[in-house]
Amino acid sequence: MTTPVPGEIRLSDRLESLLALKDATAPVSLNLLLRRTEGRGIFLVILFACLPFVVPVSLPGLSTFMGLMVGVLSLRLALGKPPTLPRWLGERPLKPATVRRILRASVRFLCLIEKLVRPRRTRWLTSRSALLLNGSLMAFMAFV
């Protein structure tokens, strides 16, 4: 998994290029988006999977599905493996309109975040032990 380094292309720019180059008829899946962002989109996918639980009442059964997705990605992060979802979940084609909407919202959100936040202590936070601890805690919380 690659980590953002000063001088590297921002994630919002990478998503904008995906939005501009994406063929409207080509199938797009979550695993494809994770591969195209070179693993940097893992936390964005986890964030979007957790958004339905910000509201006081969530849809029944949604927590199992989204928790499984967050748990799988978190465990892969903890084990140092590339961020991918199981084939039955990650390779499902998404509707082109849905993909465009998600990418546009992601770009707007990331532009705001990238103005406010700068990478700090990336060397320590990208160490094997920090990724193991972070991924394990997120997987535990997804299980809970």
Side-chain angles (χ1 to χ4, degrees), residues 8-120:
E8 191 173 285
I9 297 174
R10 297 180 321 175
L11 184 56
S12 61
D13 293 337
R14 190 171 301 277
L15 289 177
E16 274 184 352
S17 68
L18 287 176
L19 191 58
L21 297 176
K22 190 187 78 56
D23 182 18
T25 61
V28 176
S29 66
L30 285 175
N31 281 343
L32 179 66
L33 288 174
L34 286 170
R35 280 192 302 275
R36 294 264 176 96
T37 58
E38 298 173 356
R40 292 174 54 201
I42 184 173
F43 297 110
L44 191 61
V45 171
I46 289 173
L47 178 72
F48 278 121
C50 293
L51 280 180
F53 308 108
V54 175
V55 296
V57 179
S58 63
L59 296 172
L62 189 64
S63 62
T64 303
F65 179 71
M66 295 299 195
L68 179 65
M69 187 168 32
V70 171
V72 166
L73 287 174
S74 300
L75 281 176
R76 292 190 68 82
L77 176 70
L79 298 173
K81 295 186 177 187
T84 56
L85 291 165
R87 189 172 298 154
W88 60 270
L89 178 62
E91 294 300 328
R92 280 190 171 176
L94 302 170
K95 295 178 185 175
T98 304
V99 172
R100 289 186 102 41
R101 216 174 9 191
I102 289 172
L103 288 178
R104 278 192 200 116
S106 299
V107 168
R108 283 192 303 250
F109 175 73
L110 285 171
C111 284
L112 175 68
I113 294 297
E114 287 169 347
K115 288 178 184 176
L116 300 172
V117 178
R118 297 284 179 246
R120 294 182 301 259

